[in-house]
């Protein structure tokens, strides 16, 4: 049995070594010869420590002597990973399984040893991937968290979060491959700007820069200016010249946060503030930002309750024909009947709502409620009133909009042309492709599309070609002085002329006086909306104000 066991080990592909209590090698199989580069004749009789790097031999010899003396080994029956020494002097990682038994009362030691160089390399690769962004080769968010935690234990620092303005436009216009190349180029330029700083990519188009030992905001701002300057130069991507803007948020340790998590959160708040100010800016964290963030969070929680408990209301502002003063339509405007603060206008909550998780669901409710009201008005004798609703950007992302609109129209037996969807640049541009598809489907269904706030944005003229529009709404800023400002009158006249050539009708917002109305009528404007015809009001007030007396009744 003993011979067969020895024969099995001798032929095993696993290196097998046996040593006596004095650390002397007694057996050495062929796999051990291949693994360590010593023949059996060279190895047998020599100390087992020949397979150990010099710096580890004393500890190994002491451990073996202790096991021989006590008759117990802490490593027996266990597998450990250690560095081994080859005959040529090179070191390599091995997995060693140690066993211990007694022969004639003497302890004997056996070891099965496997080369795990490939396994170790794979592990190191995984560790590298876990802490490295593969696109830019920069450290990733995990690496930043570890480095930041270590830094706050050592002393002061500044944390800079950087976001690219307009990066989505590059992806949309040039493709994601070009976007990836731009991110890699940005990462390389950031690293080259300040080699001593720790630069990481957090994901998307967001980067982080850790400035160890930076205690002075003035110094931090000067360094950030260098990064601004570095990114201001154009990038050559896929044969095209690309410019990117930059928004930056900065937080200082320990003044802005007592640990890594707090510092990162506050730098993120500063970045959000820079983006909210229109981008292209750098902002240091200020306590007021946290107060605003906490307020947004509270408002968001209350808005969830508001939708669930039916606290939202739609009010309607009249739109009239300028030729005869008849009611041609209404714009549906959201209000919030807050249980503590009373009726709130959209300015108090709409920004939080459109960024919240309930934006799309609220938008669905607005469409359904507006269609229900329009149907009820017709039954009340008000006639065929067009109702306009504003969209949240989230409604254009999911692909559900057509189904929601079709269901609302069918439920109230409402012709599609009685519903109008109002869009703005801020609504459609962040999701340009999805917006185009969704709006064209609605237009095919027969729903009207109106461009709100026309003339106040940058891409208005291009959007006239891209989207299926029926109506332009002239912003109130051009109407306020139209009766005595020739430049405003000229702009409105040009818009009306252009709309005519494109087959679009025109409605002017913010009309408050008879003089403004006359000026618009003389310029050929079709419709008007404003306080001259009525402030936003509940649905039943619209019915009383514009419906026949005999049919005036509350809209249920």
């Amino acid at each position: 049995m003993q011979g067969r066991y020895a024969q099995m080990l001798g032929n095993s592909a696993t290196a097998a070594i046996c040593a006596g209590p004095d650390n002397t090698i007694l057996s050495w199989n062929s796999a051990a010869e291949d693994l360590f580069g010593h023949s059996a004749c060279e190895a047998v009789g020599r100390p087992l420590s020949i397979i150990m790097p010099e710096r580890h031999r004393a500890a190994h010899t002491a451990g073996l002597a202790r096991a021989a003396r006590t008759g117990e080994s802490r490593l027996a029956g266990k597998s450990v990973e250690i560095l081994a020494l080859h005959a040529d002097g090179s070191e390599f990682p091995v997995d060693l399984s140690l066993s211990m038994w007694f022969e004639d009362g003497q302890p004997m030691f056996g070891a099965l040893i496997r080369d795990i160089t490939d396994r170790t390399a794979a592990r190191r690769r995984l560790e590298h991937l876990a802490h490295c962004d593969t696109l830019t080769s920069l450290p990733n968010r995990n690496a930043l968290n570890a480095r930041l935690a270590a830094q706050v234990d050592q002393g002061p620092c500044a944390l800079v979060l950087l976001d690219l303005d307009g990066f989505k436009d590059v992806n949309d216009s040039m493709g994601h491959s070009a976007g990836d190349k731009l991110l890699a180029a940005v990462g390389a330029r950031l690293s080259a700007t300040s080699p001593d700083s720790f630069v990481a990519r957090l994901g998307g188009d967001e980067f982080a820069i850790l400035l160890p030992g930076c205690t002075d905001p003035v110094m931090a701002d000067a360094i950030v200016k260098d990064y601004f300057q570095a990114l201001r130069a154009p990038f050559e991507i896929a044969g095209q010249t690309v410019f990117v803007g930059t928004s930056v948020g900065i937080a200082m340790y320990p003044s802005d946060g007592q640990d890594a998590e707090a510092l990162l959160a506050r730098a993120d708040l500063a970045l959000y503030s820079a983006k909210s100010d229109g981008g292209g800016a750098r902002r240091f964290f200020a306590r007021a930002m946290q107060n605003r963030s906490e307020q947004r969070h509270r408002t968001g929680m209350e808005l969830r309750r508001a939708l669930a408990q039916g606290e939202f209301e739609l009010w309607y502002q009249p739109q009239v024909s300028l030729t005869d003063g008849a009611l041609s339509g209404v714009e549906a405007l959201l209000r919030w009947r807050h249980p503590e603060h009373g009726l709130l206008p959209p300015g108090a909550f709409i920004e939080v709502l459109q960024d919240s998780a309930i934006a799309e669901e609220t938008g669905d409710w607005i469409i359904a409620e507006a269609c229900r009201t329009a149907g009820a008005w017709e039954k009340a004798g008000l006639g065929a009133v067009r109702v306009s609703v504003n969209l949240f950007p989230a409604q254009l992302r999911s692909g559900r909009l057509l189904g929601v609109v079709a269901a609302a129209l069918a439920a109230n037996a409402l012709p599609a042309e009685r519903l109008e969807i109002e869009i703005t640049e801020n609504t459609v541009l962040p999701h340009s492709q999805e917006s185009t598809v969704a709006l064209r489907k609605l237009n095919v269904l027969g729903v009207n599309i109106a461009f709100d706030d026309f003339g106040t944005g940058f891409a208005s003229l291009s959007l006239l070609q891209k989207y299926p529009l029926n109506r332009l709404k002239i912003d109130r800023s051009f109407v306020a002085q139209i009766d005595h400002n020739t430049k405003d009158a000229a702009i409105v006249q040009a818009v009306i002329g252009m709309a005519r050539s494109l087959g679009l009708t025109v409605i002017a917002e913010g009309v408050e006086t008879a003089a403004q109305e006359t000026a618009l009528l003389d310029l050929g404007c079709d419709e008007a909306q404003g306080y001259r015809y009525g402030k936003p009001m509940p649905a039943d007030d619209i019915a009383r104000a514009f419906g026949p007396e005999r049919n005036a009744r509350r809209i249920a």
Side-chain angles (χ1 to χ4, degrees):
M1 187 72 175
Q2 186 73 17
R4 279 182 294 188
Y5 181 67
Q7 184 180 12
M8 181 184 71
L9 288 179
N11 296 327
S12 172
T14 300
I17 303 172
C18 179
D22 59 353
N23 197 29
T24 300
I25 297 172
L26 301 177
S27 66
W28 182 274
N29 71 352
S30 59
E33 292 181 326
D34 295 336
L35 183 60
F36 293 103
H38 297 285
S39 67
C41 292
E42 294 170 336
V44 172
R46 296 179 67 184
L48 183 58
S49 53
I50 65 170
I51 68 171
M52 304 288 176
E54 183 70 35
R55 62 188 179 278
H56 298 320
R57 288 180 180 176
H60 161 73
T61 302
L64 204 65
R66 183 172 55 251
R69 185 176 63 254
T70 63
E72 295 181 357
S73 172
R74 288 176 297 179
L75 296 181
K78 296 180 180 179
S79 177
V80 295
E81 293 182 9
I82 62 171
L83 281 176
L85 182 67
H86 192 272
D88 63 9
S90 62
E91 297 180 3
F92 59 100
V94 298
D95 177 275
L96 184 147
S97 298
L98 186 68
S99 58
M100 179 179 175
W101 69 96
F102 291 88
E103 292 183 8
D104 300 326
Q106 294 294 314
M108 305 292 289
F109 302 95
L112 298 177
I113 306 171
R114 298 177 181 86
D115 185 349
I116 57 170
T117 301
D118 291 344
R119 185 200 306 177
T120 303
R123 181 188 302 138
R124 287 174 180 167
R125 176 62 177 161
L126 290 174
E127 290 174 352
H128 174 75
L129 292 175
H131 293 86
C132 178
D133 174 59
T134 55
L135 179 62
T136 63
S137 297
L138 292 174
N140 63 10
R141 183 181 290 272
N142 290 335
L144 174 70
N145 289 338
R147 183 67 173 267
L148 188 58
Q151 179 58 47
V152 298
D153 287 339
Q154 296 172 13
C157 64
L159 178 63
V160 179
L161 296 188
L162 182 149
D163 189 271
L164 303 181
D165 301 327
F167 175 72
K168 188 177 186 301
D169 294 337
V170 175
N171 265 345
D172 290 344
S173 61
M174 298 177 62
H176 288 278
S177 177
D180 288 347
K181 291 177 181 177
L182 175 60
L183 291 173
V186 168
R189 198 174 288 184
L190 290 174
S191 297
T193 300
S194 181
D196 295 333
S197 300
F198 182 85
V199 180
R201 179 182 175 226
L202 303 188
D205 59 342
E206 189 174 352
F207 295 81
I209 305 164
L210 180 61
L211 307 177
C214 185
T215 60
D216 184 359
V218 175
M219 180 189 300
D221 192 52
I223 295 173
V224 169
K225 285 181 181 178
D226 290 339
Y227 287 108
F228 260 89
Q229 189 64 33
L231 296 183
R232 186 171 289 123
F235 293 85
E236 295 299 323
I237 305 295
Q240 298 188 43
T241 300
V242 176
F243 292 86
V244 294
T246 311
S247 297
V248 168
I250 310 165
M252 309 290 295
Y253 173 80
S255 59
D256 294 335
Q258 295 303 307
D259 56 41
E261 184 177 359
L263 193 66
L264 186 59
R266 287 166 184 175
D268 195 54
L269 285 174
L271 176 60
Y272 178 83
S273 177
K275 297 288 285 187
S276 298
D277 289 343
R282 55 187 184 275
R283 296 286 182 268
F284 280 84
F285 171 75
R287 296 293 170 183
M289 295 177 186
Q290 189 167 16
N291 294 338
R292 287 197 298 270
S293 177
E294 292 171 351
Q295 177 60 42
R296 286 177 66 90
H297 178 71
R298 286 195 297 270
T299 301
M301 297 298 290
E302 290 183 338
L303 285 169
R304 288 177 177 272
R305 182 209 65 216
L307 179 63
Q309 298 187 6
E311 295 173 8
F312 289 138
E313 300 178 8
L314 284 187
W315 286 36
Y316 302 87
Q317 186 170 29
Q319 299 170 334
V320 303
S321 168
L322 284 174
T323 54
D324 59 11
L327 181 70
S328 57
V330 295
E331 180 180 2
L333 300 166
L334 188 63
R335 298 290 186 267
W336 180 8
R337 184 75 63 178
H338 196 285
E340 297 177 8
H341 306 301
L343 188 67
L344 298 179
F349 63 88
I350 202 71
E351 182 181 347
V352 178
L353 178 56
Q354 70 180 7
D355 292 335
S356 73
I358 64 166
E360 185 178 15
E361 188 178 355
T362 303
D364 294 349
W365 175 84
I366 290 172
I367 290 172
E369 178 64 12
C371 290
R372 186 196 70 81
T373 300
W377 278 334
E378 186 166 8
K379 294 178 182 177
L382 197 61
V385 178
R386 181 188 70 239
V387 59
S388 300
V389 299
N390 298 277
L391 292 182
F392 292 116
Q395 293 174 271
L396 292 168
R397 289 197 299 262
S398 69
R400 296 178 52 254
L401 184 59
L402 179 65
V404 169
V405 168
L409 294 172
N412 297 282
L414 199 67
E417 63 270 15
R418 296 271 298 284
L419 177 65
E420 182 170 82
I421 299 295
E422 294 192 10
I423 63 172
T424 65
E425 285 187 19
N426 290 337
T427 305
V428 297
L429 285 184
H431 315 286
S432 181
Q433 184 174 355
E434 298 96 324
S435 301
T436 305
V437 172
L439 294 174
R440 284 178 179 168
K441 289 180 179 178
L442 289 176
N443 195 247
V444 169
L445 186 64
V447 175
N448 290 295
I449 310 294
F451 195 141
D452 197 6
D453 299 335
F454 183 78
T456 61
F458 297 104
S460 299
L461 294 178
S462 64
L463 290 182
L464 294 183
Q465 296 176 311
K466 186 171 186 178
Y467 294 108
L469 302 175
N470 304 96
R471 193 181 323 276
L472 293 184
K473 298 189 74 174
I474 298 176
D475 187 72
R476 64 183 64 249
S477 62
F478 299 110
V479 174
Q481 302 182 53
I482 193 173
D483 53 321
H484 57 272
N485 186 314
T486 56
K487 291 183 179 180
D488 284 348
I491 291 173
V492 172
Q493 185 176 31
V495 171
I496 292 173
M498 179 177 58
R500 288 277 184 273
S501 66
L502 294 173
L504 307 178
T505 57
V506 180
I507 179 170
E509 295 182 290
V511 180
E512 298 182 358
T513 68
Q516 292 169 343
E517 179 183 75
T518 299
L520 288 166
L521 189 59
D522 291 343
L523 291 173
C525 187
D526 300 297
E527 299 179 16
Q529 175 181 344
Y531 284 4
R532 176 164 176 76
Y533 315 105
K535 296 181 179 181
M537 61 188 78
D540 53 349
D541 288 355
I542 289 284
R544 282 193 291 266
F546 294 93
E549 285 293 325
R550 64 181 180 278
N551 291 325
R553 60 186 176 87
R554 182 177 179 83
I555 304 297

